[in-house]
Amino acid sequence: MLPGGLVSGAGGCGGGGLCLLRWLGLRLWSRRGTLVFALLWFGSWLFLNGLVLVHRSILSDYCTDDKSKRILQRLCLEFGEGSVTGDMCEDLCVLGLVEYKRCLYYENGKKVIEARWRGNPIILKSKLENFSSYEPLGILDYQDTAEELSPLDVVFYATLEVRNSLGLAEEDEDGGGGGGGGGGGNNSSLARLWGKKLENRDKSYSRAELASLWSLLQQEEYTFLRVLQDLSTHVAKVLGSCGHFYAVEYLSAGHAWDQNIFSLEEVAVPGLQGGQGQAGARGRWNAREMVHRIALSFLDMVWHFDNDFTHKLHLCDIKPENFAIRKDLTVVAIDVDMAFFEPKMRDILDQNCSSDDDCNFFDCSSRCNLSKRRCSPHRRNSNLQVICEKIFRPWFSPTLLGAKAGLPLQVELQRAVQECSETGGGVEEKEEDGGGGGGGGGGQAGQGRRVHQRLLNILTRLLQEGGASAEGGGAWEGKGHAHTALNF
């Protein structure tokens, strides 16, 4: 009965198997089935190609100890061949005085490695992995020997490269374009200041020295740090180099998830308590006093960057991870890939726009002139405003202050920080168009200075109330390894 019923019910199916498939709702050669098959095939193709792309762009640049060690081994091989040199090559490749610790991160080709050099922690950096990836010094192609280049020739080419890297034209450097703060002539030409050090040599440079120097000068961060480290305590120190890799002092970076941003436990270390004079007081600072001192150092850094160079220095990526503190609580900018002097800042901001949103470059912003559909080349906010917004406000919020939040000075500090985060401190439109008429620096710029002074006064009074003694800042010193101008 059952078999007969199955046969008769399948009369229009052309076979039991086909009938079963239709009974399951599947039509093998329908248009819909063909479309589904094509979509599945195309999706699989996209997925596989996506995996290849991810592997090439992400996994292949994944930070590993094995790869980092191979990179350094290749560097030492090039040193052995005489292709590269530097004041730490001998220690790294021959004497074994550079101890590899770990790979920190790779990002867009940039390699960052932690190591110890003669017992001191350092960070090794290079913008590109391979020495051959950097542009060679073209003049060497037209010279039979590098010795034909005099020290003055090296100064000339290096100064041009430094200017280009910092975005400074010769007239920008020599003109009185910006801050006046003490030193005048010393800061009148950043590139020339460093170039003078290159002149202090009575013999020519080898090809390896010139090639290594040129690879370093193509790295904006290296150039920035090397030029400014003699002028400011607020930038990381370059300690040495080998080929295209350079070493900077190891400092503990800030973290957004830490309520104090910086690991204050690392500051009040027992070794500091036995020092002379005020050094022993560091071990007795409480966390709140440390935060106040760090805040004062931030204010000092802002004032320094605004006033003490030929041009104002703009920080366009302000976040805890881009700053660190030394053991004396000096704030240090450790990632300066997004730091620009005024001339380069103008070039970046000067672009087409349809609204103010088009005139934002990370933490640096200007206004859109709707009649010209062009962004103002002058920044409307300031380093201080962004620091108040991103760092001071979380620090001095009532939530973190707890029971102390209602104290008069703390309330005054919270109000000052709020005012600071709402005060641009940049250039007003009237100042831009008026050709420098109000020489007193009024408007938002003047208001920014007043807010800066108010914060400085409040934080100083808070430290005095806490009984903390004022103290100057020092720096890490690499004993026996002063990094001179062309000990790259």
Side-chain angles (χ1 to χ4, degrees), residues 81-95:
E81 295 171 346
S83 303
V84 303
T85 190
D87 55 359
M88 67 181 297
C89 284
E90 190 83 8
D91 286 356
L92 173 67
C93 304
V94 180
L95 301 178

Side-chain angles (χ1 to χ4, degrees), residues 114-148:
E114 181 183 343
R116 292 186 73 85
W117 186 16
R118 294 180 176 259
N120 294 306
I122 61 170
I123 302 296
L124 290 171
K125 290 185 173 184
S126 178
K127 184 178 179 180
L128 301 174
E129 177 179 327
N130 299 313
F131 179 73
S132 59
S133 299
Y134 291 94
E135 287 289 330
L137 179 57
I139 191 66
L140 293 179
D141 296 335
Y142 303 97
Q143 301 281 349
D144 293 333
T145 60
E147 284 70 20
E148 294 181 32

Side-chain angles (χ1 to χ4, degrees), residues 238-291:
V238 179
L239 306 175
S241 67
C242 180
H244 57 302
F245 271 87
Y246 59 98
V248 298
E249 59 181 324
Y250 177 88
L251 296 168
S252 180
H255 300 284
W257 45 261
D258 190 327
Q259 70 174 21
N260 291 319
I261 294 183
F262 302 105
S263 299
L264 302 181
E265 298 81 9
E266 299 179 14
V267 178
V269 294
L272 291 173
Q273 297 181 18
Q276 297 179 350
Q278 293 177 334
R282 299 180 196 172
R284 297 192 297 271
W285 291 342
N286 61 41
R288 192 50 29 187
E289 287 172 336
M290 290 183 187
V291 166

